[in-house]
């Protein structure tokens, strides 16, 4: 048998021709060479330093060894395709192999998994040495077997799910082949050896063994697996690598190199902004682009750090009041760290889509300031609705030729190749939700691709204080992985409880729950920058020089009014009176239902106000149809943002928590329901945020926050629906912390208030606010601990295993890999009441006709149809509605065929309403552009 000829006939990829019977194939050798060359281009690029560095550290070898060895290892990912069970899938190609002497081997293992075959071939079985050991490319003094098994696992698992003993039981199909020349096992084994020998000669000629001393096999496995998946996807792109069965190997070698270089360049994987080395604040934010910027104390603290003291990898926690410039300080520190080669790229994680959309515009401007047209950096919006963003629409129009290059020239690019969320974190720069980063800590398919995307970047997480026990548990596991992968993390917070700060530091340093945080890092200063060196497990707390503190502090007057059903309209009238002579007020409610009722009260009372004193009244919450929410969000940002041109003379915004985080909003007066103390302080940050001329009523007085006090019923405080949103114990501790305070100093009073609420202690002071007694507190404390335990357990069920120096992070999770939306358990990043995503269309909508996209025979939806359907979507959590939809909901075939709307249900309304029955009761869902989605009981069925 001529092995060389057989190798050229093994197919790796196939593609249809112009006629139905026509089939083109790309030889397996060529495909493996393509994928290896893609890896080589990435690792040899001047801009691939961050991944070279991480792989070098993971393998415990030199950069030169990484560049010389890893591309060949990546090329071996599809060695399992050199098997009869795989090659026989294409009968027209199989016949040619038989003519060259390769015979079929019996296979009774069900669906053939070439990844499992590849693992078994590379790792070996029993006493038989694997191909990796035979090659002798890697040597380790005391971890040789573990190193080779980890590499085999990383390569064999390139379809996104880490293989288990169950997966590769019965593999390999082809044994070493110790029989005579007629033995088919021997023939296939020889074909494999010939295939690998050619790849070795092309990719690693005359290379001796690389000396490796890995310290964390989990990190090695994840990085190599993620890189292999990335290179395989790029190397499988038919546009870049069309079938080349007619070329000789000699002819194809330079073709493969050229195509690989073009594929990497076209994707923008390595396009980074050209920032100055160790830049000053004014270098990054030049007056020409930022005329109104002045350096603040927090930013000065970053500038004061000695370049030689900056660690190559760190956890940084910045704590300062809103308006202190934490975003710019974080960007300055990120640029300084990137400047000495420690990191490249950025992912900025925010709590909501709305806040990430606003931050995207700020980061885009920042990158534009430092972009060079020839190498425009790639910036991507990364959230569950990225496809609907203006930036993505512009990119798609450029792709379709709807805009010219001149029209689209912005200095920052967006490649739609990154849009599928499994790829999004690979973009050099990303701004999105914290949820997308948290996905990298869940036991999901392709999780290593997400972790690869974050490795070597600077990851900035805003509002770190705002996440509950469930989310915090996931974030802590994410910090463990980011530490193992060499990633610097910057956490931003307006007010962080000391215990939470310690938990975050412990997670990043890999300390146990009861381990003490190094003393210098437990500082109680506020504002402060806590800098933790990942290599030495030491650090420091830097306190910004605030100069004349009185000039940089402010005091907020704390007023109180009663809350509850009976006081709602009185509170509405209070706000109407407050803004009668001018001013913009915000009323923050804790639930959508409460916000809708408050809005109704204001609207009913407004006509009683003289015409010239009537304010604009706006309702803003998360439960609108998406198109209505986007419109409202745009109006809110335009009217109450830092600009003056659209600010109304008088207005009242009734909103939920959507206004409390990361949105640059400014109100003259704020009224809020009781919430945890740190979130009230966060809401307070939207109160007179900018220097501007205030209406006369608010001009010469301290900013005022009106706290709505829950009513006391039968001697006990009634927390109402807020108890379903926040832990009652935290709300009660907030009442105690604020009791007797008529003013709050920022930042002076913030540490005492926040620490008093989150010290996890039952208060010993017998002088408690009305309605709060020891028994109420003990019951709330017990509930808090039960809820924490449940939420931690729920998170741990979904977590990716912790990084382990033995590489067994997936041990015990063998058959439990999750999908993003479904699977053995939903891959949730947030816990809450179950909800269902719905697309709401009226019965006379043209899309429902026989000739519409949802009528007649189902077909594939185009992107414009998908976008429009998503704009008509909402998420509804009413229990009776969720149960009804789960039991009887409609998912059109057109939805099932489209990943973007696959999980959505279709709701058809009559005149804007949808009615159903559940548990002997009638209900009505109403969609309103003014109120959002409302769900009401109609009647009890008789």
């Amino acid at each position: 048998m001529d092995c060389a000829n057989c190798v050229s006939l093994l197919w790796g990829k196939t593609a249809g021709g112009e006629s139905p019977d026509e089939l083109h194939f790309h030889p397996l050798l060529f495909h493996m060479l393509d994928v290896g060359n893609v890896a080589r281009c990435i690792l040899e690029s001047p801009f691939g330093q961050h991944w070279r560095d991480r792989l070098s550290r993971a393998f415990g070898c030199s950069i030169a060894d990484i560049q010389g060895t890893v591309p060949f290892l990546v090329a071996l990912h599809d060695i399992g395709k050199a098997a009869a069970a795989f090659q026989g899938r294409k009968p027209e190609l199989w016949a040619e192999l038989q003519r060259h002497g390769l015979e079929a081997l019996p296979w009774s293992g069900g669906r053939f998994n070439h990844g499992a075959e590849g693992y078994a071939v590379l790792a070996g079985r029993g006493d038989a040495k694997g191909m990796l050991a035979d090659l002798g490319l890697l040597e380790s003094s005391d971890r040789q077997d573990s190193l080779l098994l980890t590499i085999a696992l990383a390569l064999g698992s390139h379809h996104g799910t880490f293989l288990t003993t169950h997966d590769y039981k019965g593999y390999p199909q082809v044994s070493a082949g110790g029989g005579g020349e007629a033995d088919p096992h021997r023939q296939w084994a020889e074909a494999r050896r010939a295939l690998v020998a050619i790849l070795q000669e092309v990719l690693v000629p005359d290379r001796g063994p690389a000396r490796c001393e890995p310290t964390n096999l989990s990190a090695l496995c994840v990085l190599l697996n993620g890189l292999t998946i990335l290179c395989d996807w790029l190397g499988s792109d038919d546009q870049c690598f069309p079938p080349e069965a007619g070329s000789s190997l000699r002819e194809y070698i330079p073709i493969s190199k050229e195509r690989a270089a073009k594929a990497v360049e076209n994707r923008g994987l390595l396009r980074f902004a050209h920032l100055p080395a160790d830049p000053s604040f004014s270098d990054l934010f030049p007056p020409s682009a930022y005329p109104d910027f002045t350096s603040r104390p927090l930013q000065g603290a970053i500038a004061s750090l000695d370049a030689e003291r900056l660690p190559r990898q760190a956890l940084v926690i910045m704590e300062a009041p809103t308006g202190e410039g934490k975003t710019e300080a974080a960007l300055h520190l990120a640029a300084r760290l990137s400047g000495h080669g420690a990191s490249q790229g950025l992912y900025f994680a925010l709590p909501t889509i709305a806040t990430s959309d606003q931050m995207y515009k700020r980061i885009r401007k920042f990158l534009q300031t430092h972009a060079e047209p020839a190498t425009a950096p790639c910036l991507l919006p990364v959230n569950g609705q990225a496809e609907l963003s203006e930036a993505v629409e512009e990119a798609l129009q450029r792709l379709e030729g709807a805009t010219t290059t001149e029209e689209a020239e912005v200095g920052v690019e967006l490649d739609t190749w990154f849009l599928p969320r499994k790829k999004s974190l690979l973009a050099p720069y990303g701004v999105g939700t914290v949820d997308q980063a948290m996905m990298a800590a869940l036991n999901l398919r392709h999780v290593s691709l997400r972790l690869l995307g974050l490795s070597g970047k600077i990851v900035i997480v805003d509002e770190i204080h705002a996440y509950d026990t469930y989310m915090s548990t996931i974030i802590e596991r994410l910090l463990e992985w980011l530490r193992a992968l060499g990633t610097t993390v910057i956490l931003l917070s307006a007010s962080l409880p000391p215990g939470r700060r310690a938990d975050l530091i412990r997670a990043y340093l890999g300390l146990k729950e009861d381990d003490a945080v190094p003393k210098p890092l437990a500082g109680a200063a506020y504002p402060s920058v806590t800098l933790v060196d990942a290599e030495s497990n030491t650090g420091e707390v830097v306190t910004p020089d605030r100069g004349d503190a009185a000039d940089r502090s402010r005091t907020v007057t704390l007023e109180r009014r009663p809350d509850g059903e009976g006081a709602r309209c009185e509170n509405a009238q209070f706000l109407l009176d407050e803004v009668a002579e001018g001013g913009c007020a915000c009323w923050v409610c804790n639930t959508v239902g409460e916000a809708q009722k408050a809005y109704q009260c204001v609207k009913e009372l407004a006509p009683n106000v003289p015409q010239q004193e009537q304010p604009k009244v706006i309702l803003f919450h998360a439960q609108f149809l998406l198109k209505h929410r986007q419109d409202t969000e745009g109006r809110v940002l335009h009217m109450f943002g830092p600009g003056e041109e659209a600010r109304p003379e008088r207005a009242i915004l009734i909103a939920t928590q959507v206004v409390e985080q990361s949105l640059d909003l400014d109100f003259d007066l704020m009224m809020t329901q009781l919430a945890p103390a740190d979130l009230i302080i966060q809401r307070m940050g939207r109160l007179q945020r900018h220097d501007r001329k205030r209406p006369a009523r608010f001009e010469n007085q301290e900013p005022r926050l009106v706290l709505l006090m829950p009513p006391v019923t039968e001697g006990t405080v009634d927390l109402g629906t807020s108890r379903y949103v926040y832990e009652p114990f935290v709300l009660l501790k907030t009442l105690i912390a604020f009791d007797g305070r008529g003013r709050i100093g920022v930042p002076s009073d913030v540490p005492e208030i926040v620490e008093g609420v989150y010290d996890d202690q039952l208060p010993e002071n017998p002088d408690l606010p009305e309605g709060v007694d020891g028994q109420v507190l003990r019951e709330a404390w017990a509930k808090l601990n039960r809820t924490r335990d449940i939420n931690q357990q729920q998170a741990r069920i979904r977590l990716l295993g912790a990084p382990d120096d033995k590489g067994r992070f997936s041990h015990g999770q063998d058959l439990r890999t999750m999908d993003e939306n479904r699977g053995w358990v939903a891959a949730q990043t947030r816990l809450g009441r179950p909800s269902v995503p719905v697309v709401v269309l009226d019965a006379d909508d043209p899309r429902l006709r026989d000739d519409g996209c949802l009528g007649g025979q189902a077909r594939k939806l185009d992107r414009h149809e998908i976008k429009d359907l998503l704009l008509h979507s909402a998420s509804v959590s009413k229990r009776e509605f969720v149960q009804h939809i789960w039991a009887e909901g409609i998912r059109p075939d057109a939805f099932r065929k489209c990943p973007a709307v696959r999980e959505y249900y279709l709701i058809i309304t009559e005149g804007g309403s949808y009615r159903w029955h559940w548990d002997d009761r009638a209900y009505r869902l109403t969609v309103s552009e003014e109120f959002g989605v409302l769900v009401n009981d109609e009647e009890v069925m008789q």
Side-chain angles (χ1 to χ4, degrees), residues 497-702:
R500 183 78 193 106
R501 184 193 309 117
D503 288 342
L504 294 167
I505 294 172
R506 273 192 288 264
Y508 191 74
L509 294 181
L511 302 177
K512 295 179 181 179
E513 186 176 350
D514 54 353
D515 287 340
V517 171
K519 285 185 178 180
L521 304 179
Y526 184 83
S528 66
V529 178
T530 302
L531 192 68
V532 184
D533 190 325
E535 294 182 355
S536 64
N537 282 15
T538 61
E540 60 182 317
V541 177
V542 180
T543 304
D545 181 5
R546 296 182 60 82
D548 187 348
D551 292 341
R552 299 186 179 275
S553 302
R554 69 173 188 161
T555 303
V556 176
T557 298
L558 183 62
E559 300 179 5
R560 293 166 176 80
R561 291 185 59 84
D563 197 4
E565 194 80 26
R568 187 179 295 119
C569 286
E570 293 179 8
N571 290 327
Q573 186 61 57
F574 166 77
L575 286 186
L576 287 167
D577 293 341
E578 285 289 323
V579 301
E581 297 177 7
C584 296
C586 181
W587 183 351
V588 185
C589 302
N590 292 336
T591 66
V592 171
E594 184 63 31
Q596 289 170 330
K597 293 173 183 176
Y599 175 78
Q600 183 68 40
C601 279
V602 175
K603 291 291 286 186
E604 289 176 354
L605 292 171
N608 299 328
V609 175
Q611 182 70 32
Q612 67 273 17
E613 297 178 2
Q614 288 188 8
K616 292 183 178 180
V617 183
I618 303 170
L619 176 63
F620 182 32
H621 57 73
Q623 203 161 298
F624 283 94
L625 288 189
L626 185 56
K627 63 176 183 176
H628 297 153
R629 176 175 175 174
Q630 288 182 340
D631 290 344
T632 303
E633 181 183 303
R635 289 174 58 208
V636 168
L637 291 170
H638 195 50
M639 292 168 63
F640 305 111
E644 296 287 349
E645 65 279 358
R647 191 172 182 86
E649 184 177 352
R650 53 182 66 81
I652 298 174
L653 175 68
I654 297 95
T656 56
Q657 296 89 336
V658 292
V659 299
E660 80 184 12
Q661 296 170 345
S662 300
L663 292 179
D664 191 1
L665 302 174
D666 179 314
F667 301 98
D668 301 305
L669 175 70
M670 178 169 285
M671 183 164 70
T672 176
Q673 287 191 291
L674 179 67
D678 54 324
L679 299 186
I680 290 179
I681 292 169
Q682 187 74 9
R683 294 173 186 183
M684 195 185 300
R686 275 70 193 151
L687 184 57
Q688 300 193 14
R689 181 182 179 96
H690 295 293
D691 291 332
R692 59 169 20 121
K693 183 171 176 58
R694 303 284 166 185
R697 183 175 182 84
F698 306 103
E699 181 66 31
N700 296 313
Q701 60 178 237
E702 289 179 345

Side-chain angles (χ1 to χ4, degrees), residues 740-754:
R741 288 183 183 269
R743 306 169 82 202
I744 297 176
V746 180
S748 57
D749 293 335
V750 171
E752 178 186 354
I753 292 173
V754 173

Side-chain angles (χ1 to χ4, degrees), residues 126-421:
D127 294 333
K129 288 175 64 179
M131 187 173 283
L132 286 175
D134 286 337
L135 289 169
L137 281 177
L138 301 166
E139 290 183 354
S140 180
S141 58
D142 60 352
R143 311 193 75 173
Q144 181 74 9
D145 291 344
S146 296
L147 172 64
L148 298 183
L149 287 173
T150 299
I151 292 171
L153 177 63
L155 301 178
S157 304
H158 66 273
H159 287 293
T161 302
F162 284 102
L163 296 168
T164 69
T165 53
H166 174 82
D167 293 320
Y168 49 78
K169 185 179 182 180
Y171 292 89
Q173 185 195 18
V174 183
S175 65
E181 290 189 13
D183 179 4
H185 284 277
R186 176 173 179 171
Q187 294 168 359
W188 280 101
E190 287 180 357
R192 281 179 175 166
R193 284 194 289 270
L195 178 66
V196 172
I198 294 171
L199 288 170
Q200 188 171 8
E201 182 180 353
V202 174
L203 292 171
V204 285
D206 304 321
R207 187 165 192 88
R211 190 75 183 174
C212 301
E213 301 299 338
T215 56
N216 191 301
L217 290 173
S218 288
L220 188 159
C221 189
V222 161
L223 288 170
L224 183 58
N225 179 251
L227 181 67
T228 302
I229 295 171
L230 169 61
C231 296
D232 187 28
W233 284 0
L234 288 172
S236 299
D237 186 342
D238 291 342
Q239 300 298 315
C240 293
F241 299 93
E244 279 283 348
S247 300
S248 69
L249 175 62
R250 183 182 297 274
E251 292 170 332
Y252 191 67
I253 289 174
I255 293 174
S256 177
K257 290 181 178 179
E258 181 180 348
R259 288 177 176 174
K262 186 175 181 181
V264 173
E265 172 61 25
N266 286 350
R267 290 284 73 91
L269 279 165
L270 305 176
R271 292 182 190 163
F272 298 97
H274 295 270
L275 300 175
D278 199 23
S280 68
F281 187 82
S282 60
D283 289 335
L284 283 188
F285 303 98
S288 58
Y290 297 90
D292 299 327
F293 270 31
T294 56
S295 180
R296 297 171 185 170
L298 183 68
Q299 297 156 359
I302 300 302
S304 70
L305 294 171
D306 186 351
E308 295 183 0
R309 288 166 50 201
L310 287 176
R312 287 184 56 80
Q313 182 191 348
L315 172 71
V316 182
I317 303 175
M318 294 188 187
E319 301 172 68
T322 56
E324 287 289 301
K326 291 189 291 292
T327 297
E328 290 73 28
L331 291 175
H332 188 196
L333 180 58
R336 294 193 68 192
L337 291 170
S338 298
H340 63 65
S343 304
Q344 286 178 285
L346 178 79
Y347 183 70
F348 209 124
L350 297 110
T352 65
I353 292 175
T355 56
S356 71
D357 285 345
Q358 191 177 40
M359 184 62 70
Y360 181 89
K361 296 173 183 176
R362 295 171 67 181
I363 302 300
R364 183 175 179 175
K365 178 181 178 181
F366 173 75
L367 292 177
Q368 283 175 330
T369 305
H370 301 282
E372 295 182 5
T375 56
C378 180
L379 172 67
L380 195 76
V382 187
N383 60 64
Q385 296 169 3
E387 294 88 344
L388 302 178
S389 75
E390 292 180 5
V392 170
E393 183 61 29
E394 290 174 5
L396 289 169
Q397 288 178 0
R398 290 199 298 275
L399 192 66
E400 296 171 351
T403 60
T404 67
T405 303
E406 290 75 16
E407 290 171 335
E409 187 63 57
V410 294
V412 173
E413 291 187 355
L414 189 159
D415 191 333
T416 55
W417 183 82
F418 294 107
L419 277 181
R421 279 177 280 284

Side-chain angles (χ1 to χ4, degrees), residues 841-891:
L841 301 178
D842 209 61
D844 59 0
D845 194 291
R847 282 166 287 200
L848 299 175
R849 298 174 188 163
D850 287 343
D851 59 348
C853 65
L854 300 180
Q857 187 173 359
R859 61 173 176 79
K860 186 176 180 179
L861 301 168
D862 65 39
R863 71 175 181 86
H864 300 288
E865 291 167 337
I866 294 168
K867 181 175 180 178
D868 200 48
L869 288 170
L870 290 174
L871 288 172
H872 286 80
S873 70
S875 183
V876 183
S877 58
K878 177 77 171 179
R879 182 177 64 85
E880 293 81 1
F881 181 79
V882 171
Q883 296 294 331
H884 161 69
I885 292 298
W886 281 350
E888 304 177 33
I890 300 171
R891 272 197 182 131

Side-chain angles (χ1 to χ4, degrees), residues 763-785:
E764 299 177 357
N765 183 1
D767 187 16
L768 298 173
E770 182 185 6
V772 181
D773 59 28
Q775 181 62 27
V776 170
L777 283 167
R778 284 190 293 273
E779 290 175 358
W781 170 239
K783 177 185 177 299
L784 173 67
N785 284 298

